[in-house]
Amino acid sequence: MIKPIGSDELNPRFVYDPDEHHRLAHEAESLPSVIVSSQTAGNAVMLGAGYFSPLEGFMNLADALSVAESMTMTDGRFFPVPILCLLESTDAIAGAERIALRDPNVEGHPVLAVMEVAAIEEVSDAQMALMTDKVYRTADPEHPGVKTFNTQGRLAVSGAIQVLNFSYFQTDFPDTFRTAVEIRNEIQEHGWSKVVAFQTRNPMHRAHEELCKMAMDAVKADGVVIHMLLGKLKPGDIPAPVRDASIRKMAELYFPPNTVMITGYGFDMLYAGPREAVLHAYFRQNMGATDFIIGRDHAGVGDYYGPFDAQSIFDDEVPAGALDIEIFRADHTAYSKKLNRVVMMRDAPDHGKEDFILLSGTRVREMLGQGEAPPPEFSRPEVAKILMDYYQSLG
Protein backbone atom coordinates (compact mmCIF):
# COMPACT_ATOMS: atom_id res chain seq x y z
CA MET A 1 0.00 0.00 0.00
CA ILE A 2 1.22 3.52 -0.76
CA LYS A 3 2.90 5.14 2.25
CA PRO A 4 1.55 8.29 3.89
CA ILE A 5 3.54 11.45 3.34
CA GLY A 6 6.69 11.80 5.42
CA SER A 7 6.20 8.64 7.46
CA ASP A 8 5.48 4.92 7.37
CA GLU A 9 2.26 5.46 9.34
CA LEU A 10 -0.42 8.11 9.58
CA ASN A 11 -0.35 10.53 12.49
CA PRO A 12 -4.02 11.37 13.13
CA ARG A 13 -4.48 13.98 15.85
CA PHE A 14 -7.77 12.51 17.06
CA VAL A 15 -7.62 11.09 20.61
CA TYR A 16 -8.75 7.49 20.14
CA ASP A 17 -7.93 6.14 23.61
CA PRO A 18 -11.26 6.35 25.56
CA ASP A 19 -9.67 7.09 28.95
CA GLU A 20 -7.44 9.82 27.53
CA HIS A 21 -10.37 11.21 25.53
CA HIS A 22 -12.51 11.41 28.67
CA ARG A 23 -9.70 13.03 30.68
CA LEU A 24 -8.98 15.57 27.96
CA ALA A 25 -12.66 16.45 27.44
CA HIS A 26 -12.99 17.05 31.19
CA GLU A 27 -9.86 19.23 31.24
CA ALA A 28 -11.02 21.19 28.19
CA GLU A 29 -14.09 22.50 30.01
CA SER A 30 -11.85 24.38 32.46
CA LEU A 31 -9.40 25.72 29.86
CA PRO A 32 -9.50 29.22 28.36
CA SER A 33 -11.32 28.82 25.06
CA VAL A 34 -12.05 30.54 21.79
CA ILE A 35 -14.59 29.95 19.02
CA VAL A 36 -12.59 29.48 15.84
CA SER A 37 -13.54 30.19 12.23
CA SER A 38 -15.22 27.56 10.07
CA GLN A 39 -12.03 27.21 8.02
CA THR A 40 -9.96 26.62 11.16
CA ALA A 41 -12.51 24.06 12.37
CA GLY A 42 -12.23 22.25 9.03
CA ASN A 43 -8.44 22.22 9.35
CA ALA A 44 -8.76 20.73 12.84
CA VAL A 45 -11.04 17.99 11.50
CA MET A 46 -8.53 17.21 8.71
CA LEU A 47 -5.69 17.07 11.25
CA GLY A 48 -7.76 14.83 13.51
CA ALA A 49 -8.65 12.50 10.64
CA GLY A 50 -5.02 12.03 9.56
CA TYR A 51 -5.45 13.73 6.18
CA PHE A 52 -2.80 16.35 6.96
CA SER A 53 -0.34 13.83 8.47
CA PRO A 54 2.39 14.22 9.64
CA LEU A 55 1.40 17.80 10.58
CA GLU A 56 0.65 17.95 14.31
CA GLY A 57 -1.24 21.21 14.50
CA PHE A 58 -1.47 24.79 13.30
CA MET A 59 1.57 26.40 11.69
CA ASN A 60 3.47 29.34 13.09
CA LEU A 61 3.89 32.41 10.92
CA ALA A 62 7.36 31.51 9.65
CA ASP A 63 6.16 28.08 8.47
CA ALA A 64 3.01 29.52 6.93
CA LEU A 65 5.00 32.11 4.95
CA SER A 66 7.54 29.50 3.88
CA VAL A 67 4.79 27.15 2.72
CA ALA A 68 3.12 29.97 0.79
CA GLU A 69 6.41 30.78 -0.95
CA SER A 70 7.80 27.32 -1.67
CA MET A 71 5.40 24.62 -0.39
CA THR A 72 7.97 23.67 2.24
CA MET A 73 8.09 24.49 5.94
CA THR A 74 11.17 26.03 7.54
CA ASP A 75 12.49 22.54 8.39
CA GLY A 76 12.14 21.45 4.75
CA ARG A 77 8.98 19.35 5.12
CA PHE A 78 6.53 19.57 2.23
CA PHE A 79 3.05 21.05 2.66
CA PRO A 80 0.99 22.75 -0.08
CA VAL A 81 -0.88 25.55 1.75
CA PRO A 82 -0.62 27.40 5.07
CA ILE A 83 -2.66 25.76 7.84
CA LEU A 84 -3.39 28.61 10.23
CA CYS A 85 -5.57 29.26 13.25
CA LEU A 86 -6.43 32.94 12.71
CA LEU A 87 -8.33 34.91 15.35
CA GLU A 88 -9.65 38.46 15.59
CA SER A 89 -8.89 38.61 19.31
CA THR A 90 -6.83 36.55 21.74
CA ASP A 91 -7.99 38.34 24.89
CA ALA A 92 -9.79 35.21 26.16
CA ILE A 93 -6.65 33.08 25.89
CA ALA A 94 -3.96 35.64 26.81
CA GLY A 95 -1.07 33.98 28.64
CA ALA A 96 -2.55 30.50 28.44
CA GLU A 97 -0.33 27.53 27.61
CA ARG A 98 -3.23 25.19 26.82
CA ILE A 99 -6.53 26.28 25.30
CA ALA A 100 -9.74 24.76 23.97
CA LEU A 101 -10.81 25.42 20.37
CA ARG A 102 -14.59 25.60 20.09
CA ASP A 103 -16.67 24.66 17.06
CA PRO A 104 -18.41 27.55 15.24
CA ASN A 105 -20.64 25.19 13.25
CA VAL A 106 -22.34 23.20 16.02
CA GLU A 107 -24.96 24.53 18.43
CA GLY A 108 -23.50 25.30 21.85
CA HIS A 109 -19.96 25.53 20.37
CA PRO A 110 -18.59 22.29 21.86
CA VAL A 111 -14.85 21.81 22.25
CA LEU A 112 -13.37 20.59 18.99
CA ALA A 113 -9.74 20.29 20.09
CA VAL A 114 -7.26 21.10 22.82
CA MET A 115 -4.22 23.07 21.72
CA GLU A 116 -0.74 23.56 23.16
CA VAL A 117 -0.05 27.24 22.51
CA ALA A 118 3.43 27.55 21.01
CA ALA A 119 3.06 31.16 19.87
CA ILE A 120 0.61 33.98 19.19
CA GLU A 121 1.82 36.18 16.35
CA GLU A 122 0.33 39.18 14.61
CA VAL A 123 0.17 38.82 10.83
CA SER A 124 0.94 42.04 9.00
CA ASP A 125 -0.99 43.31 5.97
CA ALA A 126 2.06 42.57 3.81
CA GLN A 127 2.29 38.99 5.09
CA MET A 128 -1.43 38.39 4.51
CA ALA A 129 -1.07 39.82 1.02
CA LEU A 130 1.90 37.56 0.26
CA MET A 131 0.09 34.41 1.41
CA THR A 132 -3.07 35.43 -0.46
CA ASP A 133 -1.16 36.07 -3.67
CA LYS A 134 0.86 32.84 -3.52
CA VAL A 135 -2.02 30.54 -2.56
CA TYR A 136 -4.97 32.10 -4.42
CA ARG A 137 -3.03 33.85 -7.22
CA THR A 138 -5.32 36.86 -6.88
CA ALA A 139 -6.08 39.56 -4.35
CA ASP A 140 -9.62 40.06 -5.63
CA PRO A 141 -11.91 40.28 -2.56
CA GLU A 142 -14.73 38.84 -4.69
CA HIS A 143 -12.84 35.53 -4.91
CA PRO A 144 -14.63 33.40 -2.25
CA GLY A 145 -11.41 31.88 -0.92
CA VAL A 146 -9.63 35.21 -0.73
CA LYS A 147 -12.58 36.73 1.10
CA THR A 148 -12.72 33.91 3.66
CA PHE A 149 -8.97 33.84 4.27
CA ASN A 150 -8.74 37.59 4.82
CA THR A 151 -11.74 37.99 7.13
CA GLN A 152 -10.82 35.56 9.93
CA GLY A 153 -8.52 37.87 11.88
CA ARG A 154 -4.82 38.71 11.97
CA LEU A 155 -3.65 36.86 15.08
CA ALA A 156 -2.12 33.46 14.33
CA VAL A 157 -2.14 30.95 17.18
CA SER A 158 0.20 28.01 16.53
CA GLY A 159 0.78 24.70 18.22
CA ALA A 160 -0.01 21.01 18.29
CA ILE A 161 -3.62 19.93 18.80
CA GLN A 162 -5.50 16.92 20.14
CA VAL A 163 -8.87 16.53 18.44
CA LEU A 164 -11.92 15.40 20.42
CA ASN A 165 -14.62 15.22 17.73
CA PHE A 166 -15.19 15.61 14.00
CA SER A 167 -17.64 18.52 14.21
CA TYR A 168 -20.97 17.96 12.42
CA PHE A 169 -19.49 15.75 9.72
CA GLN A 170 -19.71 12.46 11.59
CA THR A 171 -23.25 13.08 12.86
CA ASP A 172 -24.72 14.64 9.69
CA PHE A 173 -22.99 12.24 7.27
CA PRO A 174 -22.54 8.96 9.20
CA ASP A 175 -22.58 6.85 6.03
CA THR A 176 -20.18 9.08 4.11
CA PHE A 177 -17.70 10.89 6.36
CA ARG A 178 -14.52 8.85 6.74
CA THR A 179 -11.12 9.58 8.22
CA ALA A 180 -7.96 8.85 6.25
CA VAL A 181 -7.36 5.99 8.70
CA GLU A 182 -10.77 4.46 7.96
CA ILE A 183 -10.36 4.75 4.19
CA ARG A 184 -6.95 3.05 4.33
CA ASN A 185 -8.48 0.22 6.35
CA GLU A 186 -11.39 -0.12 3.94
CA ILE A 187 -9.07 -0.19 0.91
CA GLN A 188 -7.20 -3.07 2.57
CA GLU A 189 -10.48 -4.86 3.33
CA HIS A 190 -11.44 -4.59 -0.35
CA GLY A 191 -8.08 -6.10 -1.27
CA TRP A 192 -7.29 -3.17 -3.57
CA SER A 193 -3.68 -2.22 -4.31
CA LYS A 194 -4.13 0.25 -7.19
CA VAL A 195 -6.66 2.91 -6.20
CA VAL A 196 -7.93 5.98 -8.06
CA ALA A 197 -9.31 8.95 -6.10
CA PHE A 198 -11.90 11.32 -7.53
CA GLN A 199 -12.61 14.70 -5.92
CA THR A 200 -16.04 16.25 -6.21
CA ARG A 201 -17.95 19.17 -4.77
CA ASN A 202 -20.78 18.68 -7.29
CA PRO A 203 -23.16 15.90 -8.27
CA MET A 204 -21.67 13.50 -10.80
CA HIS A 205 -23.10 13.44 -14.31
CA ARG A 206 -22.27 10.98 -17.10
CA ALA A 207 -18.97 12.71 -17.92
CA HIS A 208 -17.73 12.36 -14.32
CA GLU A 209 -18.86 8.76 -14.11
CA GLU A 210 -17.11 7.84 -17.35
CA LEU A 211 -13.98 9.81 -16.36
CA CYS A 212 -13.64 7.63 -13.25
CA LYS A 213 -13.99 4.52 -15.40
CA MET A 214 -11.47 5.83 -17.96
CA ALA A 215 -8.93 6.52 -15.21
CA MET A 216 -9.47 3.11 -13.61
CA ASP A 217 -8.98 1.43 -16.97
CA ALA A 218 -5.91 3.51 -17.89
CA VAL A 219 -4.01 2.82 -14.66
CA LYS A 220 -5.47 -0.71 -14.21
CA ALA A 221 -6.97 0.21 -10.85
CA ASP A 222 -8.84 -2.18 -8.59
CA GLY A 223 -11.27 0.52 -7.54
CA VAL A 224 -12.12 4.19 -7.26
CA VAL A 225 -12.69 6.22 -4.10
CA ILE A 226 -15.22 8.95 -4.82
CA HIS A 227 -14.26 11.44 -2.15
CA MET A 228 -16.69 14.31 -1.77
CA LEU A 229 -16.25 17.54 0.09
CA LEU A 230 -18.79 17.80 2.92
CA GLY A 231 -17.90 21.25 4.26
CA LYS A 232 -18.98 24.75 3.37
CA LEU A 233 -19.21 25.84 -0.25
CA LYS A 234 -20.06 29.11 -1.96
CA PRO A 235 -23.71 30.24 -2.25
CA GLY A 236 -25.58 28.42 -5.01
CA ASP A 237 -23.60 25.17 -4.79
CA ILE A 238 -25.68 22.02 -4.24
CA PRO A 239 -25.81 20.92 -0.57
CA ALA A 240 -23.84 17.84 0.47
CA PRO A 241 -26.86 15.60 1.29
CA VAL A 242 -28.24 16.05 -2.25
CA ARG A 243 -24.83 15.40 -3.82
CA ASP A 244 -24.40 12.36 -1.61
CA ALA A 245 -27.73 10.85 -2.61
CA SER A 246 -27.21 11.41 -6.32
CA ILE A 247 -23.67 10.00 -6.31
CA ARG A 248 -24.77 6.91 -4.36
CA LYS A 249 -27.55 6.25 -6.85
CA MET A 250 -25.14 6.54 -9.78
CA ALA A 251 -22.60 4.19 -8.16
CA GLU A 252 -25.26 1.67 -7.20
CA LEU A 253 -26.65 1.41 -10.73
CA TYR A 254 -23.72 2.06 -13.05
CA PHE A 255 -20.51 0.72 -11.47
CA PRO A 256 -19.57 -2.98 -11.19
CA PRO A 257 -19.72 -4.41 -7.65
CA ASN A 258 -16.65 -3.91 -5.42
CA THR A 259 -15.15 -1.20 -7.63
CA VAL A 260 -16.29 2.00 -5.93
CA MET A 261 -16.16 3.48 -2.43
CA ILE A 262 -18.24 6.58 -1.67
CA THR A 263 -16.70 8.66 1.08
CA GLY A 264 -16.45 12.26 2.19
CA TYR A 265 -14.19 14.56 4.17
CA GLY A 266 -14.83 17.53 6.44
CA PHE A 267 -13.25 20.66 5.03
CA ASP A 268 -14.37 24.03 3.71
CA MET A 269 -13.58 24.58 0.03
CA LEU A 270 -10.74 27.04 -0.63
CA TYR A 271 -11.40 27.53 -4.37
CA ALA A 272 -7.62 27.97 -4.65
CA GLY A 273 -7.27 26.19 -7.99
CA PRO A 274 -3.72 24.88 -8.55
CA ARG A 275 -2.60 25.11 -4.91
CA GLU A 276 -5.75 23.36 -3.73
CA ALA A 277 -5.20 20.65 -6.33
CA VAL A 278 -1.82 19.91 -4.72
CA LEU A 279 -3.45 19.84 -1.28
CA HIS A 280 -6.06 17.42 -2.66
CA ALA A 281 -3.30 15.15 -3.96
CA TYR A 282 -1.49 15.38 -0.61
CA PHE A 283 -4.37 14.11 1.46
CA ARG A 284 -5.43 11.53 -1.14
CA GLN A 285 -2.01 9.91 -0.80
CA ASN A 286 -2.50 9.94 2.96
CA MET A 287 -5.85 8.17 2.62
CA GLY A 288 -4.26 5.43 0.49
CA ALA A 289 -4.93 6.38 -3.14
CA THR A 290 -2.18 5.61 -5.65
CA ASP A 291 -3.64 7.79 -8.44
CA PHE A 292 -5.65 11.02 -8.40
CA ILE A 293 -7.79 12.49 -11.18
CA ILE A 294 -7.26 16.17 -11.93
CA GLY A 295 -9.37 17.62 -14.70
CA ARG A 296 -9.92 21.05 -16.18
CA ASP A 297 -9.96 23.95 -13.71
CA HIS A 298 -9.72 21.62 -10.71
CA ALA A 299 -10.79 23.41 -7.50
CA GLY A 300 -11.19 26.64 -9.44
CA VAL A 301 -13.86 29.29 -9.43
CA GLY A 302 -14.81 31.91 -12.03
CA ASP A 303 -12.03 32.76 -14.48
CA TYR A 304 -9.19 33.05 -11.98
CA TYR A 305 -7.20 30.05 -13.25
CA GLY A 306 -6.26 28.59 -16.61
CA PRO A 307 -7.95 25.31 -17.56
CA PHE A 308 -4.84 23.19 -16.92
CA ASP A 309 -3.00 25.24 -14.26
CA ALA A 310 -3.98 22.64 -11.66
CA GLN A 311 -2.10 20.02 -13.67
CA SER A 312 0.99 22.00 -14.68
CA ILE A 313 1.70 23.02 -11.06
CA PHE A 314 2.81 19.44 -10.40
CA ASP A 315 5.51 19.87 -13.06
CA ASP A 316 6.47 23.47 -12.36
CA GLU A 317 6.19 24.05 -8.61
CA VAL A 318 5.78 20.90 -6.52
CA PRO A 319 9.19 19.96 -5.07
CA ALA A 320 10.72 16.85 -6.65
CA GLY A 321 9.93 13.68 -4.72
CA ALA A 322 7.37 15.39 -2.48
CA LEU A 323 4.50 13.12 -3.58
CA ASP A 324 4.33 9.43 -4.51
CA ILE A 325 0.73 9.61 -5.76
CA GLU A 326 0.39 9.71 -9.56
CA ILE A 327 -1.71 12.39 -11.25
CA PHE A 328 -4.18 11.27 -13.91
CA ARG A 329 -4.51 14.33 -16.14
CA ALA A 330 -7.95 14.63 -17.62
CA ASP A 331 -9.40 16.89 -20.28
CA HIS A 332 -13.00 18.04 -20.50
CA THR A 333 -15.21 15.00 -20.99
CA ALA A 334 -18.49 14.97 -22.90
CA TYR A 335 -20.79 12.68 -24.86
CA SER A 336 -19.83 12.40 -28.54
CA LYS A 337 -22.76 12.23 -30.95
CA LYS A 338 -20.38 10.81 -33.57
CA LEU A 339 -19.06 7.98 -31.39
CA ASN A 340 -22.14 7.47 -29.17
CA ARG A 341 -20.07 7.47 -25.99
CA VAL A 342 -18.38 9.82 -23.54
CA VAL A 343 -14.86 10.82 -24.57
CA MET A 344 -12.17 13.25 -23.51
CA MET A 345 -12.18 16.13 -25.97
CA ARG A 346 -8.44 15.82 -26.58
CA ASP A 347 -9.07 12.27 -27.82
CA ALA A 348 -11.50 13.47 -30.48
CA PRO A 349 -9.51 15.97 -32.59
CA ASP A 350 -11.91 15.60 -35.54
CA HIS A 351 -14.85 16.86 -33.42
CA GLY A 352 -16.26 20.35 -33.26
CA LYS A 353 -18.34 21.66 -30.37
CA GLU A 354 -21.49 20.73 -32.29
CA ASP A 355 -20.41 17.07 -32.17
CA PHE A 356 -20.69 16.95 -28.37
CA ILE A 357 -23.66 17.19 -26.01
CA LEU A 358 -22.64 20.24 -23.98
CA LEU A 359 -24.79 22.01 -21.40
CA SER A 360 -23.73 24.91 -19.20
CA GLY A 361 -24.23 24.66 -15.46
CA THR A 362 -26.75 27.50 -15.70
CA ARG A 363 -28.75 25.67 -18.36
CA VAL A 364 -28.73 22.41 -16.38
CA ARG A 365 -29.99 24.22 -13.26
CA GLU A 366 -32.75 25.87 -15.32
CA MET A 367 -33.86 22.52 -16.74
CA LEU A 368 -33.84 20.78 -13.37
CA GLY A 369 -35.74 23.65 -11.75
CA GLN A 370 -38.42 23.38 -14.43
CA GLY A 371 -38.74 19.64 -13.89
CA GLU A 372 -37.05 18.89 -17.20
CA ALA A 373 -34.44 16.11 -17.16
CA PRO A 374 -31.22 16.73 -19.10
CA PRO A 375 -30.66 14.23 -21.93
CA PRO A 376 -29.59 10.76 -20.69
CA GLU A 377 -26.30 11.21 -22.55
CA PHE A 378 -25.55 14.08 -20.14
CA SER A 379 -27.05 12.84 -16.86
CA ARG A 380 -28.31 9.47 -15.72
CA PRO A 381 -32.14 9.71 -15.34
CA GLU A 382 -32.05 8.44 -11.75
CA VAL A 383 -29.51 11.14 -10.83
CA ALA A 384 -31.51 13.80 -12.67
CA LYS A 385 -34.63 12.83 -10.69
CA ILE A 386 -32.88 13.47 -7.35
CA LEU A 387 -31.57 16.82 -8.57
CA MET A 388 -34.95 17.83 -10.07
CA ASP A 389 -36.64 17.14 -6.74
CA TYR A 390 -34.08 19.33 -4.97
CA TYR A 391 -34.32 22.29 -7.36
CA GLN A 392 -38.11 22.18 -7.43
CA SER A 393 -38.16 22.14 -3.63
CA LEU A 394 -36.47 25.56 -3.79
CA GLY A 395 -39.49 26.91 -5.62
Side-chain angles (χ1 to χ4, degrees):
M1 196 173 191
I2 194 170
K3 285 185 177 181
I5 290 169
S7 175
D8 288 340
E9 293 184 357
L10 283 179
N11 179 30
R13 302 304 297 168
F14 186 82
V15 181
Y16 283 98
D17 179 81
D19 293 336
E20 176 66 7
H21 192 283
H22 178 76
R23 185 198 68 75
L24 205 60
H26 181 72
E27 180 198 0
E29 292 305 323
S30 63
L31 290 174
S33 68
V34 63
I35 300 170
V36 297
S37 69
S38 183
Q39 188 169 95
T40 296
N43 285 333
V45 168
M46 295 295 278
L47 286 159
Y51 286 113
F52 288 173
S53 183
L55 210 61
E56 295 185 345
F58 291 98
M59 295 176 184
N60 60 33
L61 186 53
D63 278 333
L65 291 167
S66 180
V67 163
E69 284 275 15
S70 64
M71 289 194 260
T72 53
M73 289 186 275
T74 53
D75 62 5
R77 285 183 297 162
F78 170 66
F79 207 89
V81 299
I83 300 298
L84 289 166
C85 176
L86 291 170
L87 302 174
E88 290 184 348
S89 169
T90 54
D91 291 350
I93 57 171
E97 295 181 355
R98 285 169 67 79
I99 63 172
L101 306 181
R102 293 189 174 272
D103 195 334
N105 296 321
V106 176
E107 189 176 353
H109 307 305
V111 174
L112 189 59
V114 171
M115 183 180 195
E116 295 274 355
V117 178
I120 298 176
E121 301 167 285
E122 187 168 356
V123 188
S124 70
D125 288 348
Q127 290 165 331
M128 284 297 291
L130 183 146
M131 287 188 283
T132 301
D133 177 65
K134 293 291 185 181
V135 174
Y136 296 95
R137 304 191 179 203
T138 176
D140 185 353
E142 295 302 310
H143 183 293
V146 169
K147 182 178 181 181
T148 297
F149 181 60
N150 283 275
T151 54
Q152 297 174 88
R154 295 297 173 91
L155 296 167
V157 186
S158 57
I161 65 169
Q162 292 171 284
V163 177
L164 294 175
N165 70 77
F166 291 117
S167 189
Y168 62 93
F169 301 109
Q170 204 163 38
T171 50
D172 287 10
F173 307 103
D175 297 328
T176 305
F177 174 79
R178 293 289 181 273
T179 67
V181 180
E182 289 168 330
I183 293 176
R184 278 187 166 261
N185 290 341
E186 199 168 333
I187 286 170
Q188 286 188 311
E189 287 166 13
H190 277 287
W192 296 351
S193 57
K194 190 78 167 164
V195 183
V196 172
F198 179 72
Q199 152 80 25
T200 182
R201 70 177 194 255
N202 295 308
M204 290 173 68
H205 295 293
R206 280 289 294 277
H208 307 111
E209 172 197 327
E210 297 296 343
L211 176 56
C212 287
K213 292 173 180 174
M214 287 177 200
M216 288 170 66
D217 185 59
V219 306
K220 295 181 171 54
D222 302 304
V224 60
V225 179
I226 296 172
H227 201 214
M228 72 184 84
L229 181 130
L230 300 173
K232 290 190 174 180
L233 298 166
K234 59 183 172 54
D237 283 349
I238 292 176
V242 181
R243 280 181 280 133
D244 191 24
S246 64
I247 290 169
R248 285 184 181 280
K249 181 59 69 175
M250 177 211 67
E252 173 195 336
L253 297 176
Y254 297 105
F255 277 83
N258 195 39
T259 61
V260 60
M261 282 169 50
I262 298 172
T263 62
Y265 63 102
F267 187 65
D268 288 2
M269 192 78 190
L270 302 179
Y271 301 99
R275 273 298 184 97
E276 191 162 8
V278 182
L279 179 67
H280 286 173
Y282 184 103
F283 64 75
R284 268 45 184 254
Q285 180 174 329
N286 275 340
M287 77 179 198
T290 56
D291 297 80
F292 179 46
I293 300 168
I294 294 186
R296 286 172 66 100
D297 198 26
H298 184 101
V301 63
D303 297 319
Y304 291 100
Y305 311 110
F308 298 107
D309 287 356
Q311 296 176 3
S312 61
I313 190 173
F314 289 88
D315 303 318
D316 302 337
E317 296 178 47
V318 174
L323 293 166
D324 293 329
I325 195 169
E326 296 288 339
I327 302 305
F328 181 82
R329 300 167 193 239
D331 193 5
H332 191 66
T333 20
Y335 193 93
S336 161
K337 299 175 196 173
K338 278 186 177 182
L339 301 172
N340 294 319
R341 60 185 173 88
V342 174
V343 296
M344 277 195 227
M345 287 186 167
R346 70 182 180 215
D347 296 333
D350 61 335
H351 283 44
K353 279 196 172 180
E354 68 282 357
D355 295 315
F356 294 103
I357 293 179
L358 299 170
L359 295 172
S360 70
T362 301
R363 178 61 186 136
V364 173
R365 287 189 290 273
E366 285 174 357
M367 294 175 75
L368 294 168
Q370 292 162 5
E372 180 186 349
E377 295 87 355
F378 182 87
S379 186
R380 298 291 191 183
E382 300 86 354
V383 171
K385 172 71 167 61
I386 292 168
L387 299 176
M388 277 191 291
D389 289 347
Y390 164 68
Y391 275 107
Q392 291 188 292
S393 75
L394 299 178

